[in-house]
Amino acid sequence: MKGWQKGAAAAAAAAGVLGGAAVLGFRRAVLRRDRTEEEWDRKIYRSAYGACHDEIVADIQWFFEKKPEEVSIRSRDGLRLRGYYLEAPEAKGCVLLFHGFRSKGVMDFAMVLPELYQNGYSMLVVDQRAHGRSEGKYIGYGILERYDCQQWAFYMDAKTGGRVPLILEGMSMGAATVMMAAELPMPKSVRGIVADCGYNSAWAEVRHCIHKWYRLPAFPVLHLTDLLCRTVAGYSLRDATAAESLANSTLPVLFIHGTGDDFVPASMTEENYAAAAGEKRQVLVEGAVHAASYLKDRERCKKALLDFLETYAKL
């Protein structure tokens, strides 16, 4: 084989590897995948939540024993989105909870649910699109979900007659969802945002994961993945960022992040914090891994959350 032929073959092989990585990345990052209850239980054991497995299961059971109302809305692109609404007696406010990537709200917020209820806050636990009982084939990294968040806020405003202050709270991708929604028109009853370990942009987060998972360069894998997002899922990873949305919003924000997070680096929250134009508070939990700040330093995080609610969940 001649030299140019060897070079062409090597280039074709490299292109095939990078193209395959982009397709694999798209499937892993964007396409819906539902888990069985057994798989969810194993996920708890394998994650940072493992040490609190029994407590999480008990708190989830507590939530459903309260018989939350099953509610739903229709997204602007026609998907039926579902959630659970649990109303607290003489509620002081309502917290809308948005879970993380390939997760579910009753697991991500399990240990927070009883505390919110006992402190007088109702809660809406959302199944984000392409997760749980909600429809959808593609995960949108907050770019698509920000409009769902907006619609949930208007739904809850109408449900409570505009008489109950609303707080938007998210974990990981859910945090990106509520932050990206911050600049959208919202009902006056939306009074603040709680963002736990959220990334600054989908583009930056997928780039980080491409390196973390595959040890591959961002170019051209990230660009090919984005091309698939645009042509198949109907959005670009660059269509919105949390930092830009927060810069265009005056909503107060509580940021929470663990410094040991290697899935969404804490530096992303620091960038979001710097960009936020409204009143803001930040809690960095030393050594906490992804989505585990509440587990690592429960009293500090609980106090920060309740103080934030007491301050801003007012009409």
Side-chain angles (χ1 to χ4, degrees), residues 7-57:
V17 169
L18 294 172
V23 171
L24 179 62
F26 176 81
R27 292 181 54 143
R28 184 168 181 175
V30 178
L31 287 184
R32 178 181 190 135
R33 178 187 179 277
D34 292 318
R35 290 185 171 99
T36 65
E37 287 304 314
E38 182 181 358
E39 287 175 320
W40 279 117
D41 200 55
R42 289 202 302 269
K43 182 180 187 296
I44 297 174
Y45 271 121
R46 289 195 302 264
S47 72
Y49 302 146
C52 300
H53 174 273
D54 292 347
E55 184 177 359
I56 288 173
V57 171

Side-chain angles (χ1 to χ4, degrees), residues 109-127:
F109 299 101
M111 289 186 291
V112 178
L113 301 176
E115 292 179 349
L116 288 173
Y117 186 83
Q118 290 158 12
N119 282 277
Y121 295 97
S122 302
M123 63 204 79
L124 172 71
V125 184
V126 170
D127 283 348

Side-chain angles (χ1 to χ4, degrees), residues 34 44 56 78 82 114 116 134 183 219 226 235 246-247 283 309:
D34 292 318
I44 297 174
I56 288 173
R82 294 181 168 86
L116 288 173
S134 289
E183 67 177 343
F219 180 83
D226 187 56
Y235 72 94
L246 292 171
V283 176
L309 294 177

